[in-house]
Amino acid sequence: MPSLANSQWSESRRDGAVHTPWRQHALLQAVFFLMGGELFLISPLLPTIAEGFGTGIAATALVVTAYGLTYAAASPLLGALAEHLPRRRVILTGLAVMTVGEVLCALAPNLPLLVAARMIGGLGGALMGPAIWAYLAETAAPAERGRAISRGAAAYAGGQIIGVPLGTLVAASFDWRWAFAGISVVMAATGVAIAVRLREPERHVVRPDRRMAALGASFLLWRNRTFRLIMLGNLCAQAARLGTYAYAGALFATRFGYSTETLGLVGALVGVGSFIGSLTAGPVVDRWRAAGRREPVLCVGWGLLLTASLVLAVFAPTGWASIAGFMIAFAAGSAFFSTGQVYLTSELAERRSAAVSWNNSAMYIGTAIGTAVLGATGFGSVGFGIGAALFASAAVGCSALLSMRRDGIRTSHAPR
């Protein structure tokens, strides 16, 4: 396989130009699709799982948070430690760990073991997620990096579009365990395809003298003010978007009387918003960069759209207007995230995986903070809407400050 991989890379670079290997990217987009579907599948299954285990909804919700918190805590550490390892090996290892987690979810006899299984899945996602984002960025042609990143985000959103209505169907027709079993089978098949077809990218690798050196280099990113602003902006944007959406089901059920089946459709429509926002961001970012403009300026626009649409989502007088607000908010939030990912992977050559792992961690932490803070205000209240708008406005402020900085965040002179 090494000789075949090398010859294929030579084929793609024969004319001296870099060509984006879209077929290779499709393999990794399939992984993101499964991750997105698995993550958003849980929400509609919570009542069924709670009934099966004889537990309350609040306690069963640990199944949702276990994955996100594990991912947020482990991603920066694993991203730094695995930075110098072959991307393909890291991706396959993470996919194997996550598949094991899905199997254990299907077999879990009680809630604590189900939560533990979800944590194992979070570890797998934390290991392979940054490596996949880095792979997409470093194998894409510079002029197409925005599209490569945004298509990965769109694949994740596509999983949400399928996962939410599928979850309601499984909850109504079959045992919830079959959902996890089915995902594990598809993940295993995807892993086989990656093992056979995915090529290792050519890249300059800096091998640390010891593991602590790799972790130290990752944490040193936080000494750069520009990097901190990017992380804070993403945290606030996701706190606004995902923190508000955490209460969308309760909002639609109490204010507009929507049934569980209808809420599944709402979740799918919101996923469509994420999908459209992710796909739209790619070409826009590529053209923006080609014109010599900087990504933070573009993020200001996404953040303003996010702010306005969340206000509409919370205070809309009709259900369809509120759905439209959520769809636009998720489109803007996804575009904000994708644009930030492009900025990070373009500016940081040798630390792409570490930088992306921190950015993903900021997203999950932002979700937790947004859910806690907005939940304390009372969903659908004036304070709830103001809180969501303030989070989004903070993201705008961070992007505005970034747009005025000229020092960048690159830590090496590797080519962009």
Side-chain angles (χ1 to χ4, degrees):
M1 290 301 293
S3 59
L4 173 62
N6 291 337
S7 65
Q8 287 173 320
W9 277 117
S10 299
E11 179 79 16
S12 68
R13 298 171 183 248
R14 183 183 300 166
D15 58 1
V18 178
H19 302 288
T20 304
W22 295 115
R23 292 183 179 179
Q24 299 286 303
H25 285 199
L27 295 170
L28 302 179
Q29 290 162 9
V31 177
F32 275 157
F33 180 87
L34 290 171
M35 290 176 68
E38 195 271 354
L39 179 64
F40 289 97
L41 174 71
I42 300 299
S43 181
L45 293 180
L46 280 183
T48 303
I49 295 173
E51 182 180 357
F53 287 144
T55 56
I57 293 293
T60 312
L62 288 173
V63 176
V64 179
T65 57
Y67 179 95
L69 292 179
T70 301
Y71 193 117
S75 183
L77 301 178
L78 295 178
L81 292 174
E83 177 64 49
H84 67 285
L85 298 176
R87 300 287 191 216
R88 182 170 169 273
R89 185 195 306 172
V90 174
I91 292 168
L92 284 172
T93 302
L95 188 58
V97 172
M98 192 167 186
T99 302
V100 170
E102 296 303 303
V103 173
L104 293 177
C105 284
L107 299 175
N110 52 51
L111 182 60
L113 289 180
L114 179 59
V115 171
R118 288 284 289 160
M119 293 176 69
I120 293 174
L123 285 174
L127 180 60
M128 67 178 168
I132 292 177
W133 286 117
Y135 186 103
L136 297 178
E138 60 203 12
T139 58
E144 296 176 331
R145 189 170 290 147
R147 271 165 281 189
I149 294 294
S150 66
R151 288 181 185 182
Y156 205 97
Q160 178 184 357
I161 297 172
I162 301 298
V164 175
L166 181 60
T168 58
L169 178 62
V170 169
S173 305
F174 304 99
D175 189 276
W176 58 267
R177 298 176 186 277
W178 285 105
F180 291 105
I183 291 175
S184 68
V185 171
V186 180
M187 280 188 172
T190 304
V192 172
I194 290 175
V196 173
R197 301 292 301 171
L198 191 69
R199 305 190 299 264
E200 183 66 24
E202 295 179 355
R203 62 191 181 103
H204 176 66
V205 178
V206 177
R207 296 184 179 275
D209 296 331
R210 57 188 186 279
R211 293 178 180 177
M212 292 305 298
L215 291 175
S218 177
F219 280 93
L220 280 176
L221 290 171
W222 286 93
R223 296 180 62 180
N224 187 290
R225 186 186 178 195
T226 301
F227 182 81
R228 294 197 301 270
L229 283 172
I230 294 174
M231 296 300 106
L232 181 59
N234 183 41
L235 185 151
C236 291
Q238 305 317 316
R241 176 177 68 135
L242 298 173
T244 304
Y245 181 70
Y247 302 97
L251 188 151
F252 283 113
T254 57
R255 180 176 292 178
F256 305 115
Y258 284 7
S259 65
T260 301
E261 291 76 10
T262 305
L263 291 177
L265 176 60
V266 171
L269 290 174
V270 171
V272 170
S274 291
F275 186 82
I276 293 174
S278 298
L279 285 185
T280 301
V284 171
V285 172
D286 286 336
R287 293 191 182 96
W288 194 264
R289 289 176 59 82
R293 303 186 184 100
R294 303 177 69 238
E295 290 90 337
V297 179
L298 192 57
C299 282
V300 171
W302 300 133
L304 290 173
L305 181 59
L306 175 64
T307 304
S309 57
L310 284 177
V311 172
L312 172 63
V314 175
F315 296 118
T318 66
W320 282 110
S322 182
I323 291 173
F326 273 113
M327 290 183 68
I328 297 171
F330 266 68
S334 295
F336 188 101
F337 177 78
S338 296
T339 303
Q341 289 281 62
V342 174
Y343 187 46
L344 280 172
T345 56
S346 297
E347 291 290 310
L348 290 168
E350 296 172 0
R351 294 295 173 190
R352 283 192 177 110
S353 182
V356 168
S357 68
W358 282 115
N359 202 36
N360 291 346
S361 182
M363 178 180 71
Y364 282 106
I365 294 173
T367 302
I369 292 175
T371 301
V373 172
L374 295 179
T377 65
F379 68 86
S381 66
V382 173
F384 183 89
I386 292 176
L390 286 177
F391 273 125
S393 297
V396 173
C398 290
S399 299
L401 290 174
L402 280 169
S403 68
M404 294 184 287
R405 293 180 66 84
R406 302 297 177 187
D407 53 347
I409 55 175
R410 278 178 288 174
T411 60
S412 73
H413 298 288
R416 295 173 64 180

